[in-house]
Amino acid sequence: MNYKTIQSTCPYCGCGCGIYLEIVDGHLVGTMPVLNHPISEGSLCIKGWAAHEFVESEDRLKRPLWMRGANLEATDWDSALYAVADRLNQIKLEYGPDAIGFLSSAKCTNEENYVLMKFARGVVGTNNIDHCARLCHAPTVTGLAQAFGSGAMTNSVPELEEATCILVTGSNTTENHPMIASRIIRAREKGAFVMVIDPRRIHLANHSDMFVQPRLGTDVAWINGMMNMIISEGLHDEEFIRARTENFEAVRETVAAYTPERVQEITGIEPDLLRRAARAYATSERSSLIYTMGITEHTTGTDNVLSLANLAMLCGQIGRRGTGINPLRGQNNVQGACDMGALPDVLTGYQKVTDPAAIAKFESAWGMELPTEPGLTVVEMIDAAMDGDLKALYVMGENPMLSDPDINHVKEALSNLELLVVQDIFMNQTAELAHVVFPAQSYAEKAGTVTSTDRRVQRVRKAIDGIGEALTDWEIVSRLAKIMGASGFDYETPIEIFEEIRTLTPSYAGITYVRLDSEEVQWPCPTEDGPGTEYMHKDSFTRGAGHFTAVEWKPPVEVPDEDYPYFLTTGRVHFHYHTGTMTRRSPTLNREMAAAAADINPVDAEALGIKSKDMMKVSSRRGEVKIRARLTTSVPPGTIFIPFNFRESAANALTISARDPVSKIPEFKVCAVKIEKAVGRRVGV
Amino acid sequence: MDEEQVSKEEQARKISRELIAGGKVDGVLALLEIRDHVVPHLFTEEKELEGLSVSGRYPVAGVAERLLHRWEDGKIAVLARGCDERHLIELGKKKSVDLDRIRIIGLACTIAEAKECHCVRPYPTEVEVGRSVGNVNYRDHEALSELINMDIHERREFWTKILDRCIKCYGCRNVCPLCNCEDCRLEETRWIRVGEIPPEYPSFHLIRAFHMADKCVGCFACQKACPMGIPLARLHQLIKEDLKSEYGFEAGRDVDEVSPLLVDPHAAAKVKGGRG
């Protein structure tokens, strides 16, 4: 009998729950929760319980593939790696290193992101590296960095239970961060006042003390409105503002114009309701803000984040236990991928590529010359491919053909490339267009670390051997680097990579694998004998003084008109994860939701003659999709919601690639569509 | 750790060591202590027994069932608390495990452990590790009477509100060794709409409660696994108590004791301890 369990970290969302994988004779047979885990405490959500299910799927990529004629055919590792090395060298020689781009992965470990980052910058010589954080929390990274000097969740997940007031906005927490929702529920049981401010009436609204429903894309207006009320009632924390912040006067002047009446006109929120929310937030002992994509995925994403930062500083609701600003990160390791410098403007730990001292440190450690101009972001790389400036794209564990906005445009751009390399565990829509596909190992086949939403660095452990000929992402990239003649990629284990990371990254310097065997450590953790950091900005902000930024409300780029009379907003569903490559191959999850449905208000449905489960044709200026209708009052009349998880009803065929000028995040949350009843029969359950 | 626990550990390790060394079993299924928590583990080598825990709690009967299914000739020992033994007996009734292939090492719970689980029988039939605390009743009187004293409207509101928290993780089902039907009714679209949270009230939770009515042994694992703090054990406890007071039936007591739900209800009161 051979039965064992291996502790790991859930591969889905950023909560970072502890799981045990059950292994019988070398195969995964189950998942169990880790009791006493600081985040999940012996519970899991449906995805966590099913975390083993997709790993040994028949569909796993087992051999390298390359394009022969019009088809992808199996080949051996050496042939595929040498072919990619040759093409990368040629393209670099002919067009320069910036004709090559890299998409790193928030699903891969810290070590793997670091190795790809080192390869892109050191071996190829470009800063064109980015990943899907661009599509979720880029405004958090830029906005909170501008306000506080650090763009991460300020508190810890367990601490949320100590908050006395929680304002949740733009986060469907029970569906997308279930184990954090559990803390909100518990905080409320202990007496916390919970407010949900969201254009959709989400599940958590049923378990809140107050639900406020602003119009889509009006966040800056209601936040400025709240600040206007707080200041006029004298509820702001003058002592905190004086001692810890700068530039408050600019904000005071700007918000003065956001009178309750004007705010109501823009947002639709009753002044009395907003006043109650403002008072509760400002006067509670420990208020915490929680937000996700509803705040960030706008052309005003950075403005929205800055506004929340203003609100927290105005009330002194930051820098103490249980109070702060908590952007919940989406992917299991999106925090880590950012920390590892898989971003076009920073090296590990947010050390800027434009900082000569940082560049000098990395150049001397790596023995390589490094580029110092910030590179292209995700959406800019796609545009550059379209324009012919980007010739090669190397994609590690991402699926831009479903996750990026305006995918018809993405497809055209990717087809334009001279070289598209995809490294993944499954064939996906992006890999279908690739010239070479490398089979990678999943989280259950490899060791490493991930950093979950509250800056918590945790171990991922090898539970089973690699499927087929699949290799870990760090091995693939290291082999490629060595073939291209680079030194510094002779890693034998992820520990060696992590040791290199921590010597170059002050916030990770005190974290070691040995420590991670007995604890999860939250960065910043500069010394091995010091503890990590539960909550940030205690006595001063990372940048010194907290910086207020005056922000004016701007409407979304595309709003309904005569031709496209409805708002479309997009997001995720509880039972699937992102582009569905893992969850749709998981029987438990697929059974819950095998196909997409669009949420439409019964009032709109009736006007359009649409009944429950009817097929609808939804079109925007960029594309159209067919999708089943689900009648629900969770969306207000005039707005429909489509999840982006499903390739056959891809929400991102409709979305607009207009982006935030600062963080470059696309406006996934708002565009205009028209809805028609699709011809044909109703679809059964 | 206090003296009692240390001596329990020694007892459990000694028995396990003998069983493994003597080749009487393929392994000892028990909890392995890792840092501050435990996980089910099949101990097959004597040297591993250092990590065997007698203080952690997590249901292991489901693992035993899976192992014995997989290895048709296998024989294992299970370090079992009262609730673990009752789980195994119920699985035996379902013919889902062959009890002849299981050597139970009975582990008695401490008073503190029994209190924490609101246990009414914190010991197995035969105690080999620790000392039975005897006949106790740590039933959660306060919570249960609060519920019973509500009128029907209050009670409906209580459950409607608290069950609305459910995020359909199925943790209550997954953690329970006895809630293991091949075709789970909770997954049947005839009864429960799929793809939505919360699942519709009250069918999801009542179907589960009724299915567990004559099986639940009161281990509390479902409630502990619930991320949303739903007091599931209260639901199960009250049904269990009715079955006991009306029919004298108690799940997990005896492999030959037939559930009153499986026989003529009028005759059920008489079937206690015998075959119906």
Side-chain angles (χ1 to χ4, degrees):
Chain A
M1 275 190 196
N2 190 341
Y3 170 82
K4 59 176 183 171
T5 49
I6 294 287
Q7 187 178 347
S8 195
T9 306
C10 179
Y12 287 113
C13 81
C15 286
C17 297
I19 57 171
Y20 271 107
L21 292 170
E22 288 185 276
I23 305 125
V24 166
D25 288 342
H27 296 283
L28 296 180
V29 298
T31 307
M32 287 189 290
V34 174
L35 306 174
N36 290 4
H37 186 272
I39 302 298
S40 45
E41 299 185 305
S43 299
L44 290 172
C45 76
I46 188 169
K47 293 191 288 288
W49 278 104
H52 61 287
E53 289 185 2
F54 70 88
V55 174
E56 297 185 70
S57 156
E58 274 303 302
D59 297 345
R60 279 290 300 276
L61 286 169
K62 297 182 187 75
R63 295 187 63 190
L65 307 172
W66 62 3
M67 187 66 84
R68 281 291 169 267
N71 299 315
L72 281 167
E73 289 177 9
T75 182
D76 59 278
W77 272 108
D78 274 349
S79 306
L81 285 165
Y82 276 92
V84 170
D86 280 352
R87 289 297 290 132
L88 285 175
N89 279 330
Q90 277 169 13
I91 289 168
K92 182 179 167 182
L93 203 65
E94 198 171 329
Y95 305 102
D98 290 335
I100 301 170
F102 292 84
L103 296 185
S104 203
S105 177
K107 274 272 168 278
C108 291
T109 61
N110 286 326
E111 291 77 1
E112 290 168 329
N113 278 285
Y114 174 82
V115 169
L116 187 68
M117 186 278 289
K118 185 178 180 182
F119 179 79
R121 294 195 158 111
V123 181
V124 172
T126 181
N127 279 323
N128 291 342
I129 180 164
D130 203 8
H131 69 285
C132 68
R134 186 67 47 201
L135 311 175
C136 63
H137 271 299
T140 295
V141 176
T142 53
L144 295 188
Q146 183 177 326
F148 309 143
S150 169
M153 185 165 166
T154 63
N155 300 76
S156 302
V157 171
E159 264 176 69
L160 291 173
E161 231 175 290
E162 298 171 34
T164 53
C165 172
I166 300 179
L167 194 171
V168 182
T169 181
S171 156
N172 189 356
T173 328
T174 53
E175 295 217 24
N176 296 323
H177 292 91
M179 292 305 129
I180 292 173
S182 128
R183 302 286 177 163
I184 299 173
I185 299 264
R186 245 182 282 172
R188 186 159 177 259
E189 273 184 347
K190 293 181 182 172
F193 188 80
V194 175
M195 301 182 270
V196 173
I197 303 187
D198 201 293
R200 292 196 294 151
R201 192 184 164 88
I202 54 170
H203 179 209
L204 188 65
N206 298 351
H207 302 281
S208 66
D209 298 284
M210 184 192 271
F211 171 61
V212 181
Q213 195 166 22
R215 291 191 191 110
L216 268 182
T218 62
D219 300 296
V220 168
W222 66 256
I223 302 166
N224 278 351
M226 268 175 85
M227 290 196 278
N228 175 304
M229 291 165 172
I230 290 165
I231 294 169
S232 56
E233 294 191 23
L235 300 176
H236 52 301
D237 187 339
E238 280 177 12
E239 175 53 33
F240 185 91
I241 295 167
R242 191 168 50 242
R244 304 258 329 244
T245 70
E246 62 188 28
N247 204 33
F248 169 59
E249 282 312 311
V251 169
R252 187 204 289 272
E253 279 169 33
T254 301
V255 303
Y258 287 80
T259 58
E261 299 69 33
R262 183 172 165 225
V263 170
Q264 181 175 19
E265 208 171 290
I266 298 170
T267 66
I269 304 172
E270 292 280 335
D272 281 349
L273 195 60
L274 196 63
R275 190 169 288 113
R276 266 180 65 209
R279 284 178 185 156
Y281 177 81
T283 60
S284 194
E285 178 70 27
R286 292 179 298 280
S287 292
S288 264
L289 286 164
I290 291 177
Y291 74 90
T292 66
M293 320 292 77
I295 284 294
T296 58
E297 287 178 341
H298 293 275
T299 45
T300 57
T302 304
D303 288 348
N304 294 347
V305 172
L306 287 169
S307 299
L308 290 177
N310 289 342
L311 177 63
M313 289 190 289
L314 177 75
C315 303
Q317 296 287 20
I318 189 165
R320 289 174 286 127
R321 276 190 77 78
T323 167
I325 296 195
N326 297 298
L328 309 180
R329 305 303 301 260
Q331 295 271 14
N332 59 332
N333 196 34
V334 65
Q335 183 64 56
C338 291
D339 298 346
M340 292 303 110
L343 295 170
D345 57 340
V346 290
L347 296 147
T348 64
Y350 309 94
Q351 303 171 80
K352 290 198 179 315
V353 296
T354 50
D355 172 7
I359 285 289
K361 180 171 81 172
F362 280 81
E363 284 186 337
S364 113
W366 292 352
M368 297 160 176
E369 204 178 307
L370 299 177
T372 55
E373 282 287 309
L376 299 176
T377 61
V378 170
V379 193
E380 288 169 329
M381 282 190 234
I382 300 296
D383 286 353
M386 192 74 174
D387 297 342
D389 296 332
L390 194 83
K391 302 291 184 189
L393 185 64
Y394 192 109
V395 182
M396 174 174 90
E398 286 218 341
N399 187 10
M401 271 296 294
L402 200 50
S403 61
D404 288 17
D406 194 359
I407 51 183
N408 295 326
H409 170 72
V410 176
K411 184 171 187 179
E412 210 175 322
L414 295 182
S415 310
N416 220 9
L417 291 164
E418 289 185 19
L419 177 67
L420 175 62
V421 181
V422 171
Q423 179 169 313
D424 212 300
I425 62 173
F426 288 115
M427 202 63 198
N428 62 37
Q429 295 86 324
T430 308
E432 283 162 14
L433 303 175
H435 300 97
V436 179
V437 179
F438 293 134
Q441 290 182 5
S442 78
Y443 80 103
E445 295 144 67
K446 64 191 176 193
T449 60
V450 292
T451 307
S452 40
T453 187
D454 61 356
R455 301 167 276 106
R456 196 177 299 263
V457 183
Q458 310 195 65
R459 292 282 304 273
V460 167
R461 293 182 180 83
K462 183 181 169 73
I464 59 166
D465 289 335
I467 303 285
E469 294 175 21
L471 295 174
T472 62
D473 291 282
W474 64 266
E475 282 173 305
I476 300 169
V477 177
S478 298
R479 282 180 67 173
L480 189 60
K482 283 190 275 189
I483 290 170
M484 289 174 74
S487 58
F489 287 86
D490 295 313
Y491 306 113
E492 297 277 324
T493 65
I495 300 180
E496 291 167 34
I497 305 169
F498 194 83
E499 284 296 308
E500 187 175 315
I501 293 168
R502 75 188 194 94
T503 56
L504 289 165
T505 315
S507 54
Y508 276 67
I511 308 175
T512 65
Y513 265 52
V514 174
R515 267 187 95 164
L516 294 178
D517 264 336
S518 57
E519 60 180 327
E520 295 80 17
V521 186
Q522 291 173 276
W523 69 256
C525 180
T527 58
E528 275 179 58
D529 51 2
T533 306
E534 269 189 292
Y535 62 93
M536 298 178 76
H537 315 304
K538 187 178 172 202
D539 298 313
S540 76
F541 287 100
T542 309
R543 70 181 292 280
H547 186 82
F548 277 99
T549 307
V551 180
E552 294 283 358
W553 174 72
K554 297 182 203 77
V557 166
E558 189 180 76
V559 292
D561 56 20
E562 246 173 53
D563 297 332
Y564 296 91
Y566 292 90
F567 270 124
L568 165 70
T569 191
T570 67
R572 301 174 283 186
V573 292
H574 183 61
F575 300 102
H576 284 291
Y577 205 78
H578 289 197
T579 67
T581 48
M582 289 150 65
T583 52
R584 297 192 75 188
R585 289 182 171 92
S586 171
T588 302
L589 302 170
N590 200 50
R591 195 195 52 71
E592 279 292 339
M593 197 178 257
D599 289 348
I600 180 168
N601 190 283
V603 172
D604 291 336
E606 199 185 343
L608 292 160
I610 288 165
K611 294 189 196 65
S612 177
K613 300 194 182 82
D614 275 354
M615 282 307 264
M616 307 187 289
K617 187 173 97 177
V618 181
S619 31
S620 73
R621 290 184 175 84
R622 293 151 297 277
E624 64 172 60
V625 299
K626 287 204 171 128
I627 189 164
R628 197 158 44 92
R630 179 164 75 174
L631 274 52
T632 166
T633 52
S634 71
V635 287
T639 299
I640 68 162
F641 170 83
I642 299 183
F644 74 79
N645 316 83
F646 299 86
R647 67 182 293 177
E648 64 280 13
S649 310
N652 284 324
L654 305 170
T655 49
I656 190 164
S657 68
R659 41 190 187 261
D660 177 28
V662 187
S663 70
K664 311 288 167 68
I665 194 169
E667 190 146 66
F668 288 110
K669 290 295 181 195
V670 195
C671 73
V673 293
K674 67 178 171 206
I675 306 168
E676 294 153 274
K677 187 172 167 173
V679 188
R681 62 192 173 83
R682 281 173 67 188
V683 188
V685 180
Chain B
M1 200 184 289
D2 64 19
E3 243 173 75
E4 191 191 344
Q5 291 293 77
V6 173
S7 91
K8 276 168 81 172
E9 258 176 18
E10 280 166 10
Q11 286 171 314
R13 283 181 197 147
K14 181 166 172 285
I15 297 167
S16 303
R17 199 176 298 122
E18 286 167 5
L19 286 167
I20 292 172
K24 293 202 175 91
V25 294
D26 297 304
V28 176
L29 179 63
L31 297 175
L32 173 68
E33 194 158 346
I34 298 175
R35 293 163 54 178
D36 56 352
H37 62 264
V38 293
V39 63
H41 183 77
L42 186 70
F43 294 84
T44 54
E45 289 173 53
E46 290 177 52
K47 62 175 194 288
E48 289 181 292
L49 292 167
E50 272 303 293
L52 185 145
S53 162
V54 295
S55 51
R57 269 159 291 168
Y58 192 82
V60 294
V63 179
E65 184 198 20
R66 287 208 287 282
L67 293 179
L68 293 181
H69 268 279
R70 182 118 189 146
W71 288 283
E72 285 175 4
D73 305 322
K75 194 165 189 303
I76 57 170
V78 178
L79 180 63
R81 293 174 185 275
C83 50
D84 293 317
E85 184 189 63
R86 295 195 288 277
H87 287 147
L88 289 169
I89 288 173
E90 282 299 315
L91 288 171
K93 275 188 199 172
K94 278 177 83 171
K95 307 269 186 266
S96 196
V97 301
D98 177 2
L99 293 174
D100 293 338
R101 293 200 280 140
I102 296 179
R103 156 76 163 87
I104 288 176
I105 308 168
L107 166 66
C109 294
T110 62
I111 288 178
E113 288 167 350
K115 278 185 179 161
E116 202 192 303
C117 293
H118 296 294
C119 193
V120 296
R121 198 184 286 274
Y123 48 85
T125 325
E126 204 178 311
V127 174
E128 288 180 83
V129 179
R131 251 204 343 263
S132 162
V133 297
N135 281 328
V136 290
N137 188 347
Y138 294 119
R139 161 188 200 275
D140 191 356
H141 295 294
E142 206 181 317
L144 293 176
S145 33
E146 190 194 331
L147 197 57
I148 289 168
N149 291 332
M150 288 177 189
D151 69 33
I152 190 163
H153 304 290
E154 291 168 334
R155 215 182 295 177
R156 181 178 295 141
E157 195 187 324
F158 172 82
W159 286 116
T160 312
K161 212 162 188 173
I162 212 151
L163 293 177
D164 184 82
R165 291 178 182 180
C166 178
I167 56 166
K168 228 180 172 188
C169 69
Y170 292 96
C172 49
R173 177 194 70 180
N174 296 349
V175 79
C176 178
L178 302 174
C179 196
N180 65 347
C181 298
E182 193 101 341
D183 297 308
C184 178
R185 293 291 173 273
L186 301 177
E187 295 181 353
E188 266 188 26
T189 49
R190 185 174 7 157
W191 304 112
I192 316 278
R193 272 199 302 273
V194 292
E196 283 174 28
I197 62 165
E200 61 220 276
Y201 171 83
S203 33
F204 186 90
H205 295 92
L206 288 196
I207 287 173
R208 208 185 100 77
F210 281 123
H211 277 211
M212 295 308 297
D214 58 347
K215 297 183 190 72
C216 175
V217 304
C219 75
F220 256 71
C222 53
Q223 184 159 323
K224 285 181 195 157
C226 179
M228 303 316 264
I230 301 172
L232 292 161
R234 277 182 227 174
L235 204 56
H236 295 304
Q237 187 63 27
L238 291 173
I239 300 176
K240 267 167 65 67
E241 287 179 6
D242 278 355
L243 282 187
K244 188 165 185 193
S245 64
E246 297 298 315
Y247 304 106
F249 175 82
E250 223 179 301
R253 193 162 49 179
D254 182 344
V255 74
D256 292 323
E257 185 175 352
V258 177
S259 160
L261 303 184
L262 298 177
V263 295
D264 175 359
H266 301 294
K270 298 176 220 149
V271 301
K272 186 183 161 191
R275 283 185 179 282

